[in-house]
Every structure is written in C-alpha cells, then in structure tokens.
Amino acid sequence: MFKPLDPLLHSELRLAIVSLLVSVKEAEFSFLKAKTGATSGNLSIQIQKLYEADYIVIEKSFKGNYPLTTCRITKKGIEAFEQYVEAIKSYLGK
Amino acid sequence: MFKPLDPLLHSELRLAIVSLLVSVKEAEFSFLKAKTGATSGNLSIQIQKLYEADYIVIEKSFKGNYPLTTCRITKKGIEAFEQYVEAIKSYLGK
DNA sequence: ATAAACTAGTTTATAAAATAAACCAAATTT
DNA sequence: AAATTTGGTTTATTTTATAAACTAGTTTAT
C-alpha cells in the first residue's frame, strides 16, 4: 500500500538539497543556500547528515582566499532519491 | 523553485492518513491503523493534529458495545492534500 | 462471579529531528 | 585599525515522532 519513506530524504531541506544535486552533480554551499533559502547553520548540519549516509560527498577547498564547500551526489544518493520518488508517489493517489 | 511543504502533511503517517481519507471519505480508527501499520498511540495523536487543523473531523460513537472513532476528511483537508501533492512534485525532478 | 485476555483507544515520557541563535576564523572594506 | 562581510560550524532550543504505559470497558473461559 504505502511504501516506507527514507527518513533521511523525507525532510524538506535534505530533499531539496538532494534534488538539486541530482540535477547539477556539483554545487557550492552558497549555491545550495540560495536555492533552498536555508540558513547556513541548518544547511551545514543537513549536508553533514547526507554525508554521513554516503548520499553526498563534501569537498573542502578555497576559492581565492575564502573557504569553499562543494557537494556532489553519490551513486548511493541517486539511488536513494529515485527510491524516495517512487515511494512518495504511493501516497499521492491517482 | 521548491514550493514549501505543509508541515502537517509532510509526515509519513499523517500523509498516509489523509491519502486514505481522500479516497474513502470515511474511515474507522481500526481501518486506518491496519492500513498504515501505525501504533494506536501514534495514530491517536496524529488524527488529533489533523483534527485541530480542521483537515479532518472525528466522530465518536459506539459499534455494539465498543467505542468507535470515525474520521472524515474536510474540504480544507482535501485542498491541503492537493496543494501538498503539487508542492512535493517540485522536488521530484523531471 | 471472577480472573484473564482483548478492544479501542488516550496520555505521558522519551528519543530524534529541525530550526534558530550564537559563535569562529579569516578576509575585506571604510 | 575598527567595523563589516564571507563562509561556514557549534551549541542550544523548539518541535516532532515514536514508544511505553495507562484507562475504561468488554468478552471469554473457569
């Protein structure tokens, strides 16, 4: 009937992050922040959670003098997202 | 870009409840419990929350000697669900 | 008739998650 | 050189979700 929803993706912000990363393959912290409207703190925590689950990789470098955090989705992340999409559909009717 | 998700519906159990009620228009507590696999306690709390938001109405009666709790979706609930469906689609890509 | 088990839930307590606020280090601007 | 900005992280608070315990009564078996 209803497929279980991956709790890691069933979060407005984390779902938005993963949704973006699926389409762009690489995104800077500031890009994710702008696109999602999240606060820095919230974004920082949520990307860490996605990282801990191996849904994304986080690369830290410098852009000029400033620190730069770049995120990329993993194979596992893509699969989890695709599964989530299928699962949520079971709740949406029709 | 990403439409905001009604927090009341962005919950696995409450979404399942509303999804069911949209299709059946009336459901007993035990029916919802069986279909969703929720515990009684969790179900009890979640239908109360939906009731407080006027997304459903809760009718208490008796079936034989046993208490019977019946839920029905409201106009407001249907609209909220339809809006949620549109909103979540903005995260699912394609 | 009474104890045991079951129905149909509610309430309370605990764990997990999301969000906000405060903070940090370094860089830039005035 | 003081104030502000960048690009975040950490800590604290609030909100949610879940589980455990409880209530109130019913049915079944003894």
Side-chain angles (χ1 to χ4, degrees), chain A residues 3-69:
Chain A
K3 293 178 186 161
L5 299 173
D6 182 343
L8 210 71
L9 292 184
H10 194 60
S11 140
E12 182 158 3
L13 181 49
R14 288 194 302 269
L15 186 60
I17 293 166
V18 169
S19 177
L20 282 167
L21 291 178
V22 162
S23 63
V24 303
K25 300 290 178 189
E26 166 168 333
E28 297 179 5
F29 189 97
S30 57
F31 173 83
L32 292 175
K33 188 170 179 242
K35 286 282 182 181
T36 61
T39 60
S40 299
N42 197 8
L43 182 56
S44 179
I45 283 170
Q46 303 314 326
I47 64 175
Q48 275 177 47
K49 286 186 183 171
L50 291 170
Y51 168 73
E52 280 158 23
D54 293 318
Y55 283 10
I56 67 172
V57 290
I58 298 177
E59 197 188 296
K60 283 171 184 298
S61 60
F62 283 87
K63 183 194 207 173
N65 291 317
Y66 288 119
L68 179 69
T69 299

Side-chain angles (χ1 to χ4, degrees), chain B residues 1-54:
Chain B
M1 183 75 203
F2 295 116
K3 293 179 187 160
L5 298 173
D6 181 344
L8 210 70
L9 292 184
H10 194 59
S11 141
E12 182 159 1
L13 182 49
R14 288 194 303 268
L15 187 60
I17 294 166
V18 169
S19 177
L20 282 168
L21 291 178
V22 162
S23 63
V24 303
K25 299 291 178 187
E26 166 168 334
E28 298 179 5
F29 189 98
S30 57
F31 172 84
L32 293 174
K33 187 169 180 243
K35 286 282 182 180
T36 61
T39 60
S40 300
N42 198 5
L43 183 55
S44 179
I45 282 170
Q46 304 313 329
I47 63 173
Q48 275 177 46
K49 286 185 184 171
L50 292 170
Y51 167 75
E52 280 158 23
D54 293 319

